[in-house]
Amino acid sequence: MRNFSPDSLMLAIETSCDETAVAVFQAPDRVLGHALASQVAVHRRFGGVVPEVASRCHLEAIDGLLQKALADAGVTLADIGAVAVTRGPGLIGAVLVGVSYAKALAWGLKVPLVGVNHLEAHVAAAFLYRPDLQFPFLAMVVSGGHTSLYRVDEGLVFAELGRTIDDAAGEALDKGAKLLGLPYPGGPEIERLAARGRADAIAFPRAWLDQRLDFSFSGLKTALRVYLEKHAWGTEQLPDIAASYQEAVVDALSAKAMWAVARENLSTLVVVGGVAANQRLKAAMEERARPIGCEVVVPPPPLCTDNAAMVAAAGMRMMQAGRESGLELDAAARLPVGGGHS
Ligand code: KG4
Ligand code: ZN
């Protein structure tokens, strides 16, 4: 086994959902090469991601992407000093393709292997945008499937502070948009309409949950359905309804993020995931953060969507903290953040 030195290059692989991606990475945060293949067009005709099709697409794409990423970086496999791979959570067959490929590479090259949690990788993407980001910080992952708050300490060590007890914030926006007759994904549609509406037009509920750091959005969705049943509405009312609905989501997210910042005595908040693209959310976070001297870091959308550079950013920090995996590394469909390294 070759030793990993801080200037060794890392190869990173992501296959947990419908994007196959390979990165060549140099510490601390340099992406030397990156290659990505999206399966979105393949799955679209089925109306959603088909797991078996995803696994096959990953298998077909991965060799070519590895060659492309190496060529992009101007290096060969002999230059690689470590391999990082997403080990979960995700579609099990899809994750297995990446994990098996990474294990074979690490074994063949005789270099260390590190298994990365996909959600932790999403948070680590913030280092690619802000290389000077300091631990500890608060991280909010807010997407179509997740709404969680984590305290992140030195070595990329996660502790969950809160999560949604029902719908994710993106899911709430998507379901709300559907009730309003808007296309999927609903988040951007709601944001677009909300820009022309009054956020205080309708008093939709916020689930404060006794000041806990957990979230709940299912009551909000019901409140919208009831409102639409009881009132006459049409295209003219849409901007006000969208703005008020979006504000209820934004309010809960930004208030609880700031409670967490205060309770944990932190001064940086990192927001990642698809909903982080929402400009009203960013503005609300900044409004609340400014008076308490907290900085809000929101990486740009290309770093928030699935890629392999974020896997490398996480894997590099885990390696440096001595958290490498053995060749017995396994893929996992479900994987808790914080407790899931082997
Ligand atoms: O992270 P992501 O791309 O995929 C996963 O959920 O895994 O997040 C997608 C979610 C969808 O619910 C979508 O409606 C939401 O992010 N989203 C937005 C915006 N762009 C995407 N929500 C609010 N405002 C946006 N601009
Ligand atoms: Zn993802």
Side-chain angles (χ1 to χ4, degrees):
M1 172 78 70
R2 283 202 264 146
N3 275 335
F4 184 74
S5 73
D7 53 347
S8 297
L9 301 187
M10 175 177 268
L11 190 83
I13 296 170
E14 159 64 42
T15 63
S16 65
C17 188
D18 57 353
E19 318 272 355
T20 322
V22 180
V24 178
F25 194 82
Q26 185 170 41
D29 292 298
R30 265 185 79 200
V31 184
L32 301 183
H34 190 263
L36 180 139
S38 172
Q39 306 171 6
V40 171
V42 179
H43 296 292
R44 188 170 291 140
R45 58 198 161 103
F46 303 108
V49 178
V50 183
E52 289 311 315
V53 175
S55 309
R56 179 172 290 270
C57 287
H58 286 306
L59 258 179
E60 285 169 359
I62 198 160
D63 264 327
L65 292 176
L66 169 66
Q67 297 311 327
K68 220 168 136 193
L70 289 170
D72 197 19
V75 302
T76 68
L77 274 181
D79 299 309
I80 300 300
V83 178
V85 64
T86 297
R87 58 174 292 228
L91 302 171
I92 189 65
V95 183
L96 259 173
V97 172
V99 167
S100 312
Y101 198 85
K103 280 162 87 167
L105 271 177
W107 182 77
L109 297 172
K110 299 190 169 40
V111 299
L113 173 72
V114 58
V116 174
N117 181 306
H118 183 78
L119 293 176
E120 298 183 15
H122 269 298
V123 173
F127 286 100
L128 302 172
Y129 172 57
R130 281 287 307 275
D132 57 333
L133 182 66
Q134 298 292 318
F135 295 112
F137 57 84
L138 184 81
M140 173 177 260
V141 179
V142 64
S143 70
H146 300 274
T147 300
S148 301
L149 284 170
Y150 306 103
R151 180 194 165 95
V152 188
D153 280 290
E154 200 67 50
L156 208 66
V157 175
F158 283 73
E160 187 180 280
L161 304 175
R163 59 154 63 204
T164 181
I165 58 170
D166 41 55
D167 293 349
E171 194 179 354
L173 291 168
D174 293 339
K175 287 178 175 171
K178 197 171 174 192
L179 290 172
L180 294 171
L182 303 169
Y184 179 88
E189 296 291 329
I190 295 221
E191 176 169 31
R192 189 175 49 76
L193 282 166
R196 293 188 280 117
R198 287 183 302 124
D200 60 356
I202 305 153
F204 285 121
R206 280 81 162 141
W208 297 122
L209 306 179
D210 298 327
Q211 320 292 308
R212 276 181 8 238
L213 295 177
D214 290 330
F215 300 91
S216 168
F217 294 107
S218 67
L220 171 63
K221 178 190 60 193
T222 307
L224 174 62
R225 188 168 43 74
V226 171
Y227 179 89
L228 296 177
E229 283 164 7
K230 286 195 177 153
H231 297 79
W233 61 279
T235 23
E236 223 165 276
Q237 286 75 33
L238 269 182
D240 280 353
I241 301 173
S244 302
Y245 190 78
Q246 173 180 267
E247 198 61 17
V249 173
V250 162
D251 214 19
L253 293 175
S254 56
K256 295 204 172 199
M258 287 310 133
W259 295 350
V261 160
R263 284 181 208 175
E264 294 290 316
N265 200 16
L266 300 169
S267 56
T268 310
L269 163 66
V270 169
V271 191
V272 296
V275 182
N278 188 284
Q279 292 305 305
R280 175 61 200 137
L281 176 64
K282 185 167 185 244
M285 292 283 194
E286 281 166 351
E287 277 163 32
R288 289 183 189 261
R290 205 171 299 118
I292 60 169
C294 173
E295 190 197 1
V296 181
V297 176
V298 186
L303 287 177
C304 282
T305 49
D306 286 357
N307 63 83
M310 69 183 195
V311 177
M316 193 59 96
R317 282 168 177 78
M318 290 174 67
M319 285 292 302
Q320 286 165 349
R323 294 168 56 193
E324 65 180 74
S325 315
L327 284 177
E328 66 281 3
L329 176 72
D330 214 352
R334 293 165 171 272
L335 192 63
V337 165
H341 60 93
S342 62

